[in-house]
Amino acid sequence: MKLKLISAAIAALVAASPAMADLTFTSLSYRTGPYAANGIPFADGYADYFTLLNERDGGIGGEKVNLIECETGYNTEKGVECYESTKGEGALVYQPLSTGITYQLIPKVTADDIPLHSMGYGRTSAKNGKVFSNVFNYPANYWDGASVAIKHLLDLNGGDLSGKKVALVYHNSAYGKEPIRTLEELSKKHGYELTLLPVDHPGQEQKSQWLQIRRERPDYVIMYGWGVMNQVAIQEAVNIRFPMDHFIGIWWSGSENDVKPAGEAADGYKALTFHNVGSDYPVFEDIQDFVVDEGKAAGAGDQIGTVLYNRGLYAAMLAAEAAKTAQKIHGTSAITPAMMRDGMENLEMTEGKMTALGLPNFGPSFKVSCENHGGDGYVAVTQWDAKAGKWNMITDYMQSDQDVLAPLVAEDSEAYAKENGITPHCN
């Protein structure tokens, strides 16, 4: 009888305890602070995709996913604290969603042999996997974005930008400064005049920058902004009657949150992207059925199909596919962070694979290797239709100017290797 009571007590304790998941992922989110409006939909998309895999597929390769979310507030110090407090949980990969946090974590994840994915942000030269063994930034980076913005302008001007004026309005941080070198090199190649206009965090004060734009009248403005900075910039552009179709934001300056406050005046504004837009994909039907309708969505379920929700989902999908690749390589479903790194370095995304996942034509095809942790630099241009209240992709994916970018990546990564005593190599 005593044995039965003990057994019953143990069974009750197990039932009351949370289920132990085998594959742990982290979400360094920011649902608070000045960038919360943009951080929330990304975090929701990231979480909902993993919930979908658990509910529909039983996890990844038979292993349930455990997602640990840690609030950073887009604060670098808090982001590092989140890393230190969660890495012991066996986190397979970190996605900081912040260039500042990424820079701080690069040496840490390398020493701890944990992979880091800075998708479309972070240190661009981390594309060189021979130097940055644990850092990945596929399918595109900030320099790819800057190059494709110029390529789009070339297309609009018959291939000739000589004598044109291009202004860069950028967040005065490591993030915003990333494209400067690329745009300077491209200006030498194509003959346009570049003006640099930094905007201090969080970006609510931009009067002087837009007065300068009104005075100097550049032909085009490129923006690397985030959060409220984007809304303010678009409204300031409206105030000085700058033509919206001559205004192009990087992918972090191209969400619904950025354009809706300006109303119909934002019509025609453009933004770069490395994934498609909208909700017309089979995977969203599954999310509705298995996640939202079951009351398991990270948010209210009203962000599905928005730009940043889609981006969070895309990031989670790429992480899940890398995990599957790692499971296949190592012949085990219970992969470690080191195994996950191998999966990321051998990840291949094809149109056939994306279609099977319910995301046909959602992102560019690419293949990762030791030499190339960043993809092939394919980027498209979207445009805001204010009347319809939606983004439309107006170009095909275009490859960035590798003749200009490859030497820049090599130069910057080799300098980092020398400073940090790293011998470039492939495993």
Side-chain angles (χ1 to χ4, degrees):
M1 182 66 180
K2 185 176 181 181
L3 181 61
K4 287 184 178 179
L5 288 173
I6 292 173
S7 298
I10 292 173
L13 181 62
V14 170
S17 300
M20 294 301 291
D22 292 299
L23 299 182
T24 297
F25 291 83
T26 58
S27 173
L28 300 193
S29 62
Y30 36 95
R31 297 179 180 275
T32 64
Y35 304 102
N38 287 5
I40 290 170
F42 185 99
D44 287 351
Y46 195 71
D48 286 354
Y49 189 78
F50 283 124
T51 301
L52 172 66
L53 297 185
N54 279 342
E55 299 301 313
R56 184 192 65 189
D57 305 338
I60 301 173
E63 305 284 353
K64 283 294 186 78
V65 172
N66 175 35
L67 182 65
I68 300 174
E69 185 167 327
C70 189
E71 174 67 32
T72 72
Y74 197 72
N75 177 280
T76 298
E77 184 178 344
K78 288 182 179 179
V80 174
E81 290 174 359
C82 279
Y83 172 78
E84 295 293 350
S85 66
T86 58
K87 68 178 183 180
E89 301 293 326
L92 294 177
V93 60
Y94 281 86
Q95 305 210 33
L97 199 60
S98 157
T99 292
I101 297 173
T102 297
Y103 268 72
Q104 292 299 310
L105 292 188
I106 287 174
K108 292 178 178 292
V109 297
T110 305
D112 295 333
D113 201 14
I114 301 172
L116 183 152
H117 186 198
S118 53
M119 185 182 75
Y121 60 93
R123 185 171 189 138
T124 296
S125 64
K127 179 174 182 173
N128 184 356
K130 292 186 293 184
V131 173
F132 298 92
S133 59
N134 285 64
V135 186
F136 301 81
N137 53 11
Y138 51 74
N141 57 56
Y142 288 145
W143 298 356
D144 293 322
S147 174
V148 171
I150 296 302
K151 182 169 281 192
H152 179 58
L153 299 186
L154 284 165
D155 289 343
L156 296 177
N157 289 274
D160 184 10
L161 287 178
S162 56
K164 298 291 185 181
K165 295 181 179 180
V166 177
L168 173 67
V169 175
Y170 65 96
H171 193 278
N172 195 14
S173 63
Y175 151 53
K177 295 173 184 176
E178 275 283 323
I180 293 175
R181 177 76 185 282
T182 300
L183 291 172
E184 288 174 341
E185 292 300 314
L186 289 169
S187 71
K188 297 175 186 175
K189 181 175 181 177
H190 298 295
Y192 61 83
E193 179 185 331
L194 179 65
T195 300
L196 303 176
L197 299 170
V199 175
D200 290 334
H201 162 86
Q204 291 172 310
E205 298 298 326
Q206 298 183 42
K207 288 290 183 185
S208 63
Q209 290 87 346
W210 288 93
L211 285 174
Q212 184 174 342
I213 288 172
R214 185 174 69 176
R215 182 172 63 251
E216 297 182 1
R217 303 183 65 175
D219 298 283
Y220 299 97
V221 173
I222 296 172
M223 176 164 67
Y224 274 56
W226 189 224
V228 69
M229 172 182 165
N230 297 332
Q231 300 174 16
V232 172
I234 290 171
Q235 186 58 58
E236 291 289 355
V238 170
N239 293 345
I240 68 166
R241 299 182 180 180
F242 189 83
M244 283 293 116
D245 59 350
H246 286 221
F247 193 3
I248 306 173
I250 188 64
W251 36 76
W252 301 115
S253 301
S255 75
E256 291 80 1
N257 295 334
D258 303 324
V259 289
K260 283 188 174 181
E264 291 189 6
D267 186 63
Y269 173 76
K270 295 177 179 178
L272 301 157
T273 187
F274 50 81
H275 61 78
N276 219 318
V277 294
S279 59
D280 190 20
Y281 298 93
V283 72
F284 291 123
E285 296 176 10
D286 287 350
I287 287 177
Q288 187 69 43
D289 293 340
F290 289 92
V291 181
V292 178
D293 291 348
E294 295 299 318
K296 296 181 178 181
D302 59 346
Q303 294 293 308
I304 292 175
T306 62
V307 169
L308 292 170
Y309 182 96
N310 286 11
R311 191 163 302 152
L313 178 142
Y314 186 46
M317 181 270 281
L318 293 178
E321 292 308 301
K324 293 177 188 176
T325 303
Q327 289 172 331
K328 185 176 180 179
I329 291 172
H330 292 282
T332 178
S333 57
I335 57 174
T336 65
M339 293 176 182
M340 179 68 174
R341 193 213 74 86
D342 295 341
M344 294 175 72
E345 193 165 86
N346 290 276
L347 178 64
E348 182 175 9
M349 296 304 301
T350 64
E351 179 54 33
K353 182 181 287 187
M354 286 185 285
T355 298
L357 293 169
L359 288 164
N361 193 36
F362 192 76
S365 297
F366 63 92
K367 185 175 182 180
V368 189
S369 67
C370 171
E371 294 81 2
N372 181 1
H373 279 194
D376 300 316
Y378 280 89
V379 175
V381 180
T382 62
Q383 188 167 34
W384 178 244
D385 182 339
K387 186 175 182 180
K390 67 175 185 177
W391 291 94
N392 296 308
M393 191 178 287
I394 61 171
T395 72
D396 294 329
Y397 288 108
M398 298 178 280
Q399 189 176 30
S400 56
D401 189 339
Q402 296 300 301
D403 290 340
V404 171
L405 299 191
L408 294 180
V409 169
E411 177 187 334
D412 191 74
S413 59
E414 288 167 6
Y416 180 89
K418 185 176 181 179
E419 291 169 6
N420 292 276
I422 298 171
T423 299
H425 67 283
C426 282
N427 297 329

